[in-house]
Amino acid sequence: MNVFDTHCHLDDEKFNEDREEAYQRMLEAQVTRCVCVGSDLPSSRRCIDFADTHAGVYAAAGVHPHEAKDAPADYLETLAGMLAGKRVVALGEIGLDYYYDLSPRDVQHRVMAQQVDLAVQLDVPVIFHIRDAHGDMADFFRSRKRLPAGIIHCFSGSPEIAREYVRMGFYISFAGPLTFKKAPHLQAAAREVPLDRLLVETDSPYLSPEPKRGRRNEPAHTVYTLAKLAELRELPIEEMAQITWNNACALYRIDP
Ligand code: NI
């Protein structure tokens, strides 16, 4: 079995004490590929450096809505340079976060839209972070003539909005919360997203799945969310691993 963690933050300082060990545990858990996702320019750089030196690790570069207010004037140029990297497979993570509102909403919108334009121009897939902002995000998507390929990461919406994102061509990625007892809407969404649009991720160090809930998350834990997804779809875990692996490789445009 080969498992693909489509979204983690191995560059995070919470891995400063044991980053190499976490990488080894990931491989031992049969999670043989992951994408290390940036949230601002320095973290994107760290993700790229880690991907360049670790087999099976890829990187994404982008500015998260939390960090949008601090994006330097020339950030798009820097990002374009990073996206040319061999191991850089996506622009992200970018989006809207109305739960924390750490950047003013107009700034979140501007920085997100500029990066979507860049992704369309460069033809690279996008990783979207959307928290308490599905209405505005869907409106934004509907307003665009051209949308990039992309992932709705750590999906947190209703089955209806999942369906709409799928119609727009996006993949839906499920993280640890899928395993929580009180997540009936997420589990309902996971039951009906078409198999060829499903992905799994950890978003580690955040959002540990059951039975690791409450502790630091890491890429090795992808298997718990994968197992839950397989159970919901009534498929063997090996088959769900293969399906989500193929989807991830297709979206990130890497050889399966
Ligand atoms: Ni993330």
Side-chain angles (χ1 to χ4, degrees):
M1 184 167 88
N2 282 303
V3 179
F4 202 134
D5 180 0
T6 63
H7 189 121
C8 67
H9 301 281
L10 272 174
D11 63 294
D12 193 279
E13 62 182 12
K14 293 197 176 70
F15 290 110
N16 282 355
E17 304 297 316
D18 67 343
R19 188 167 287 105
E20 294 302 324
E21 290 86 343
Y23 171 68
Q24 286 306 327
R25 284 192 295 271
M26 162 185 136
L27 297 179
E28 282 156 22
Q30 297 177 292
V31 182
T32 50
R33 281 182 181 171
C34 72
V35 175
C36 191
V37 179
S39 49
D40 59 12
L41 296 179
S43 83
S44 297
R45 183 74 257 161
R46 289 194 302 272
C47 288
I48 295 167
D49 290 344
F50 194 74
D52 280 341
T53 50
H54 292 78
V57 180
Y58 299 85
V63 177
H64 191 286
H66 290 349
E67 323 299 337
K69 62 183 184 308
D70 300 316
D74 60 350
Y75 82 101
L76 287 167
E77 261 180 81
T78 308
L79 271 186
M82 288 177 169
L83 289 164
K86 259 207 172 107
R87 312 275 301 175
V88 185
V89 294
L91 193 157
E93 61 187 293
I94 72 172
L96 301 174
D97 192 313
Y98 295 174
Y99 182 79
Y100 287 107
D101 273 331
L102 295 187
S103 299
R105 291 186 182 179
D106 60 320
V107 177
Q108 293 189 39
H109 272 261
R110 174 171 49 80
V111 169
M112 184 270 294
Q114 287 172 337
Q115 292 179 94
V116 167
D117 285 341
L118 180 66
V120 168
Q121 186 195 322
L122 299 176
D123 187 28
V124 294
V126 176
I127 301 167
F128 288 101
H129 167 105
I130 310 166
R131 185 131 188 228
D132 286 1
H134 288 289
D136 274 12
M137 199 71 195
D139 283 344
F140 169 80
F141 288 147
R142 286 185 211 107
S143 74
R144 310 296 284 193
K145 272 207 199 79
R146 285 182 62 197
L147 287 174
I151 298 176
I152 309 302
H153 123 79
C154 189
F155 180 72
S156 61
S158 62
E160 292 70 32
I161 193 72
R163 247 178 270 145
E164 174 137 26
Y165 290 139
V166 167
R167 274 198 298 275
M168 291 169 170
F170 296 122
Y171 288 75
I172 308 291
S173 183
F174 289 95
L178 185 68
T179 66
F180 298 172
K181 277 214 175 66
K182 288 182 182 158
H185 64 294
L186 272 187
Q187 290 153 4
R191 277 199 197 91
E192 61 171 85
V193 171
L195 286 175
D196 65 357
R197 294 284 140 177
L198 282 173
L199 299 169
V200 284
E201 65 172 278
T202 56
D203 202 17
S204 49
Y206 313 106
L207 295 171
S208 269
E210 293 290 357
K212 305 285 183 186
R213 196 171 177 184
R215 276 174 275 173
R216 186 195 68 180
N217 200 4
E218 59 177 63
H221 298 166
T222 315
V223 291
Y224 298 109
T225 303
L226 178 71
K228 184 68 188 179
L229 189 58
E231 176 199 316
L232 290 167
R233 299 306 290 255
E234 299 178 18
L235 289 171
I237 188 169
E238 293 79 10
E239 196 174 332
M240 191 50 80
Q242 189 67 55
I243 288 168
T244 49
W245 175 277
N246 288 346
N247 292 344
C249 295
L251 184 273
Y252 287 132
R253 301 171 189 170
I254 52 186
D255 286 338

